[in-house]
Amino acid sequence: MSPLANVGLLLINTIGSLALLIVLLRFLLQLVRADFYNPISQMIVKLTSPLLNPLRRVIPGFGGLDIASLLLAYGIQIVTMALILLVAGMGKDIPWANLLVWAPLGLFGLLLKIYFWGLIITVIASWIAPNSYNPALILINQILEPVVRPIRAKMPDLGGIDLSPIVVFLLIQVLEIIVIGPLAQMLAVPRGLMFGL
């Protein structure tokens, strides 16, 4: 592959993954009813509103889920994967039907990565700056809390030591091993095509 194609792949991966991350964060913020007065929440809302507001007029939410942001993320995932295949030399042979199936798997993988890295950030922050009021840490905790809280409630009291993040780490790894990996292999997803894998 030529150096120009490698630069193109780097730019597509970077821009596509950032766009996906922002849209999925918007979905998660609304799902967990995070503080939308948080400056980071407001930045995410400002970045996603130009695309989401027109979509929301056509696609309503359902059961507290922001379906419009999920469909926007799905569309971004498909377009990004198609551009990657195009730059990688597939040309007119892009398997569009496969992309429709690969995209949800990539989104699920990226959601797992968001939770994985969010946990790492909170664990490190709990050592370095416990009880911090940093807006980013508050937002990460609001996203993680609905997943961590039920596990924490079932854990025995260990004198103030919270091992629930370790259980969530293990669950994420198990999902990657028994769900994402086998599905990616079964669907013949090209390696490195999706950001979550």
Side-chain angles (χ1 to χ4, degrees):
M1 194 177 300
S2 73
L4 194 58
N6 283 330
V7 169
L9 286 175
L10 174 69
L11 290 174
I12 292 166
N13 273 312
T14 303
I15 294 167
S17 60
L18 282 174
L20 274 172
L21 177 65
I22 290 168
V23 173
L24 284 178
L25 284 175
R26 173 74 184 259
F27 169 76
L28 290 172
L29 292 175
Q30 192 154 347
L31 182 67
V32 301
R33 292 176 172 76
D35 176 17
F36 273 87
Y37 293 106
N38 184 308
I40 295 171
S41 295
Q42 292 199 352
M43 178 194 69
I44 290 170
V45 168
K46 284 180 186 173
L47 289 172
T48 55
S49 287
L51 293 174
L52 272 180
N53 288 345
L55 270 179
R56 284 195 175 136
R57 289 187 198 113
V58 181
I59 304 163
F62 178 76
L65 293 176
D66 184 11
I67 304 299
S69 62
L70 277 182
L71 287 176
L72 179 60
Y74 181 71
I76 292 170
Q77 178 82 8
I78 289 173
V79 168
T80 304
M81 289 189 306
L83 288 172
I84 289 170
L85 292 173
L86 185 67
V87 171
M90 298 266 320
K92 295 179 182 177
D93 300 327
I94 293 175
W96 291 102
N98 290 352
L99 291 181
L100 296 176
V101 179
W102 295 344
L105 187 61
L107 290 177
F108 183 61
L110 185 58
L111 274 173
L112 290 179
K113 293 295 182 200
I114 289 171
Y115 279 95
F116 179 84
W117 289 107
L119 281 167
I120 287 190
I121 290 168
T122 57
V123 167
I124 291 172
S126 72
W127 297 334
I128 297 172
N131 303 320
S132 173
Y133 292 104
N134 182 295
L137 291 176
I138 291 170
L139 210 55
I140 291 170
N141 280 320
Q142 288 175 343
I143 290 171
L144 295 176
E145 191 59 24
V147 173
V148 176
R149 186 184 324 115
I151 294 169
R152 187 182 302 125
K154 292 184 180 2
M155 299 284 292
D157 184 17
L158 299 172
I161 298 174
D162 184 12
L163 297 180
S164 56
I166 294 172
V167 175
V168 177
F169 278 129
L170 290 173
L171 289 174
I172 289 170
Q173 294 297 315
V174 167
L175 285 172
E176 287 179 344
I177 292 168
I178 67 171
V179 175
I180 302 250
L183 276 176
Q185 195 171 21
M186 183 181 78
L187 297 171
V189 180
R191 186 151 181 81
L193 186 60
M194 295 179 295
F195 314 116
L197 299 177

